[in-house]
Amino acid sequence: MKKDVVIYFISKIIIGIIGLVVLKLYSSMIDPAGYGEYSLVASLVTALISIFIGWIGSSALRYYDEYKDKKILLFTNITFYYIFMLMLCYIILYLCKYLMPTIPIEKYYIFIVFFTMTMSMQEILEKLLRASNKTVVYALASVVQSILSIILFYIIVKYTNLEAESIFISAAMSKAVFVIMSLFTLGYIIKFRGFRIDKKILKKFLNYGIPMIGVWGVGWILHYCDRYIISMYINNYEVGIYDMSCKISENTINLLISSFTLSIFPMLIRDWNKGGKKVIEDKFKTIVKYYNLIILPAVVGLILISDKLYLGIIDPKYASGKLVIIIISIGTFINGLNSILNKIWQLNEKTKNILYILIASVIINLVLNIILIPSMGINAAALTTLISYVFSIVVTYVFVRKEMIIKFDVKSFGKTIISCFVMSVFILIANTIVDSLIGLFIEVILAILIYVVSTLLLKNIDERIITSVTRRLKKHGN
């Protein structure tokens, strides 16, 4: 697990830096109205893939270890499910042109078709790479995809008249490279022998996946419905500003969270299959401890430097979204912790519980958005999202405790708060001096170093980890 977390973490740091460069290009080369159109269309595609394709990838991840001796059979079943559901996605996408006339689907339709195919294939292949412990390939393919995406976007925008269209094209082409790399890596299981639907696999996938369809669908409403309400009550210009502000959190906090959680679920599945609930209980305390240790300082840091992001990263025309960045960052931290709690229900194959809580959260989110957005604008959208996340994690915690004993390392959390405070003092002082992008970069690096030193001085990291890292460094040094 430690090795996987480190690999994921390094790759996500690289992707996060590239992502900030991407946002700089997007914000400087595309106006908020055009970016708002892209956001609405891309969110719709994400919804279709989450609802109709996501359950396949999640089920493959959940049962890969169980069928590791029947990989060819498993893959042929996955392929059949994928082709059928992709065709269904295309049919619904075509109907949406007429059912949702306010969303400019027709304008981007040709680009969306290719984008949907590559994005959906990546959705499944990511899960297969994780399940088969192809950590290095997953990380490398993700980094290559990110680099290629930014290069292609710049070339397309520079030499054509395309704006938002260029995002779809560059994303689709770069995702296609990820797909090719993944298929090549997993080639030993891709020996197609015709479709053979195994009823046992189908039943497991449906029992586990069908509730996940609801989870993904309702989750999409929770995360993206605010864009459509903003478009309905205000305009696409404000949608662009809101989505860009949310993307800042996604390219920093969310990437750190995903680097932490990507390796956890496959590990938990293996431990669950071997030792059951008792083994998971012993590890859960450590998982939450290191989640706080890694993610909390990132949230605090991003909040404190949010004003400085417009020095050269985000174009000033998007500056009205500063408060959104702060609120969404807090919400992202809470939602990430909630996703860890949800793993308990996923292991117990009680995904319906996740769905029920999400539905309640969505109702709260929708009602508050409709009431508040017309008068408070995009800040209300961020606030209602935060309220929904808080409701979700509180209810989840209350009920998950009935499934498993959950222990928290209060002492470690206190030390994490102290380290964050020390780092915050430095950032607040540095903010009065820094007035350039280079200065901001140096400030962030020094803040990270101060936090790490403070954490080490407080002995908030297990000595076994420090010893392991020291030995590795000495080994490479020799």
Side-chain angles (χ1 to χ4, degrees), residues 326-392:
I326 295 173
I327 298 173
I328 292 297
S329 296
I330 297 172
T332 301
F333 172 81
I334 294 172
N335 192 49
L337 188 57
N338 188 49
S339 70
I340 295 177
L341 291 175
N342 282 333
K343 301 302 181 191
I344 297 172
W345 273 332
Q346 289 178 256
L347 290 169
N348 280 310
E349 301 182 25
K350 295 183 179 180
T351 50
K352 290 181 181 179
N353 294 338
I354 303 174
L355 176 59
Y356 297 149
I357 294 175
L358 272 176
I359 290 174
S361 299
V362 164
I363 293 173
I364 293 171
N365 187 263
L366 280 172
V367 171
L368 290 177
N369 273 329
I370 293 172
I371 294 173
L372 299 178
I373 285 178
S375 59
M376 295 177 59
I378 60 176
N379 292 333
L383 182 61
T384 57
T385 299
L386 175 59
I387 293 172
S388 299
Y389 288 159
V390 171
F391 169 82
S392 182

Side-chain angles (χ1 to χ4, degrees), residues 94 114 130 135 169 174 226 269-270 307 339 350 374 406 434 444 463:
Y94 182 80
F114 184 37
R130 289 170 54 195
T135 311
I169 298 171
S174 60
D226 44 17
I269 292 172
R270 289 190 292 270
D307 281 341
S339 70
K350 295 183 179 180
I406 300 176
V434 172
V444 171
E463 292 184 5

